[in-house]
Amino acid sequence: MKKLGFGLMRLPLLDKADAASVDVEQVKRMVDLFLERGFTYFDTAWMYCGFNSENTAKTALVDRYPREAYTLATKLHSGFFNSLEDRDKVFDEQREKTGVEYFDYYLLHGISESSYGKYEEFDCFNWLREKKSQGLVKHIGFSFHDNAELLDKILTAHPDMEFVQLQINYLDWESPWIQSRKCYETAVKHGVPVIVMEPVKGGTLASVPQRVDKLFKDYDPEMSVPSWAVRFAASLDNVMMVLSGMSNVEQLMDNVSYMEDFKPFGEQEKELVRKAADMINEATAVPCTGCSYCTDGCPAKIAIPQYFSLYNEDMREAEDKGWTANQTNYKQLAGKFGKAGDCIGCGQCESICPQHLPIIKHLQDVSAHYDR
């Protein structure tokens, strides 16, 4: 397989306020272009796109192409089962939603310190092995959001896991929270192939500070800004696939243009992204990837990732600029969702955040900036 995978998490929407309103016709066109260029890997999950991603995979991909033409991955998340029977209920509904007889790759979703115990309690690793022995899954593994020490513990306990999906990008490579490098090196130590998620960090590495943009353009004016992020991840040994959540045709065509005949980074390019990471870290107030895990179940119905995105943009503006369009954008969102200041501090968002962000504190900062 070519190293670029189509992440079906940030699909184009007909209504930006409705995560389930997928623009299926645009997705069909994107799927067609992706397959025409020789790429075959598609990654979805139970709750992506307001629980509509797997249905979209059926409509745009499965119903329109022979089974051997594509590779499909999906996942079991710990938030959606509370019994042994629930695991099969979700799995069977996923087969129905996607329309496939089997999944090429199946993952236990987003393992962290808070969820690992539940996966063990409900014997999910053996459950995965059973699905593989039954021919319902071809390859078994898990996605992971925690530290390298826990990853080492899991891979030691379950040496038959065939791959691990890790958050790897040049901004998080040396992060003490995400530990991209340390987790990657742990997978290498265990001889487990890596699938990369969040190579562009939810769009953060597609829209970089001006001086970072200049750094890249001075080196190669033909390469797009996000291409540096995807190619960084794909250049790592032991990486078998890099997932990119593509939201429109233009993003897809950019990605396939440089991944169709992929050339790994040289030393000079590695040094450039190290410099870029330092510059971006200086300018990012809230390192949110926009995954939206935090919004499901929020009692105040706060549009957390959207607010963080607006806040980050404003924090990059000159201090003396005054009013920005994001103040209007915030008010429009707050008309549909709870304001940042409506947070009651329950902490459910922080318990599920893959980035381990102090969301409550950040919402207070957002509220101080906009709720005036």
Side-chain angles (χ1 to χ4, degrees):
M1 291 186 293
K2 293 187 177 182
K3 269 193 171 183
L4 177 67
F6 193 158
L8 303 178
M9 179 182 180
R10 297 182 174 91
L11 295 175
L13 302 177
L14 298 171
D15 179 359
K16 291 184 178 180
D18 180 3
S21 65
V22 177
D23 184 348
V24 176
E25 292 307 310
Q26 186 174 173
V27 176
K28 286 181 179 178
R29 185 182 173 202
M30 294 167 73
V31 166
D32 293 344
L33 291 168
F34 194 71
L35 290 170
E36 285 172 10
R37 296 297 186 96
F39 300 89
T40 62
Y41 193 99
F42 295 84
D43 173 89
T44 183
W46 177 254
M47 72 284 210
Y48 287 177
C49 299
F51 298 88
N52 196 29
S53 177
E54 291 173 327
N55 304 77
T56 301
K58 181 178 189 299
T59 303
L61 175 66
V62 176
D63 287 348
R64 300 171 63 240
Y65 287 92
R67 186 63 184 88
E68 65 273 12
Y70 58 86
T71 302
L72 186 63
T74 194
K75 313 172 186 77
L76 175 74
H77 192 281
S78 62
F80 301 99
F81 66 87
N82 289 295
S83 69
L84 300 180
E85 293 75 21
D86 283 350
R87 303 169 310 172
D88 287 309
K89 182 179 179 181
V90 170
F91 186 86
D92 292 342
E93 189 166 343
Q94 288 178 307
R95 290 175 65 204
E96 183 178 346
K97 287 173 70 176
T98 58
V100 297
E101 291 290 324
Y102 64 90
F103 296 107
D104 299 281
Y105 290 77
Y106 197 90
L107 300 81
L108 302 182
H109 193 172
I111 295 182
S112 65
E113 189 68 51
S114 62
S115 64
Y116 178 49
K118 186 171 185 179
Y119 285 118
E120 290 287 19
E121 177 187 355
F122 289 95
D123 201 26
C124 290
F125 289 92
N126 280 327
W127 176 80
L128 264 187
R129 296 176 184 104
E130 291 170 7
K131 295 300 180 192
K132 181 179 178 182
S133 68
Q134 294 166 1
L136 299 175
V137 174
K138 300 298 183 184
H139 302 284
I140 58 175
F142 60 95
S143 60
F144 183 79
H145 286 288
D146 215 297
N147 60 56
E149 183 179 357
L150 178 62
L151 180 60
D152 185 62
K153 176 181 176 180
I154 296 170
L155 291 176
T156 299
H158 302 284
D160 57 343
M161 291 295 103
E162 298 174 90
F163 64 96
V164 61
Q165 191 161 300
L166 300 174
Q167 177 170 322
I168 293 178
N169 56 69
Y170 66 77
L171 194 61
D172 292 326
W173 189 241
E174 298 294 350
S175 165
W177 302 105
I178 309 303
Q179 298 190 2
S180 282
R181 177 181 58 79
K182 290 183 178 179
C183 288
Y184 166 76
E185 290 173 351
T186 300
V188 170
K189 182 183 78 170
H190 285 268
V192 178
V194 171
I195 295 175
V196 172
M197 58 183 162
E198 300 289 358
V200 192
K201 200 170 172 65
T204 296
L205 301 182
S207 180
V208 296
Q210 187 173 358
R211 60 187 184 135
V212 178
D213 183 274
K214 184 177 186 303
L215 181 74
F216 290 151
K217 294 301 183 184
D218 285 349
Y219 182 84
D220 188 341
E222 299 301 317
M223 297 303 298
S224 68
V225 169
S227 76
W228 286 85
V230 175
R231 290 184 298 132
F232 166 81
S235 295
L236 296 169
D237 294 335
N238 205 51
V239 165
M240 60 175 281
M241 185 63 57
V242 178
L243 303 177
S244 178
M246 295 174 274
S247 302
N248 53 54
V249 172
E250 292 72 25
Q251 289 178 6
L252 185 143
M253 292 306 294
D254 178 50
N255 279 346
V256 300
S257 69
Y258 55 81
M259 290 300 290
E260 197 168 12
D261 183 23
F262 172 67
K263 294 179 177 60
F265 269 6
E267 287 303 317
Q268 190 172 357
E269 291 168 307
K270 292 177 184 177
E271 179 59 29
L272 281 175
V273 296
R274 282 193 285 267
K275 289 181 180 178
D278 290 340
M279 293 177 183
I280 296 168
N281 277 320
E282 292 172 2
T284 302
V286 184
C288 170
T289 67
C291 70
S292 293
Y293 292 178
C294 56
T295 58
D296 186 34
C298 173
K301 301 187 185 306
I302 300 171
I304 299 170
Q306 292 95 321
Y307 291 165
F308 286 168
S309 178
L310 297 178
Y311 183 69
N312 279 337
E313 289 180 14
D314 274 359
M315 291 303 101
R316 294 188 186 113
E317 297 284 1
E319 291 184 8
D320 60 353
K321 185 171 183 178
W323 181 89
T324 70
N326 282 334
Q327 292 170 344
T328 298
N329 295 333
Y330 176 83
K331 289 180 180 179
Q332 291 176 342
L333 281 169
K336 297 181 180 180
F337 304 99
K339 296 184 296 183
D342 293 338
C343 173
I344 63 173
C346 68
Q348 78 85 28
C349 55
E350 294 187 355
S351 69
I352 201 171
C353 175
Q355 312 305 316
H356 312 290
L357 298 178
I359 294 175
I360 296 170
K361 171 61 170 64
H362 287 319
L363 284 174
Q364 292 170 352
D365 294 339
V366 172
S367 179
H369 185 71
Y370 291 115
D371 292 334
R372 295 179 290 183

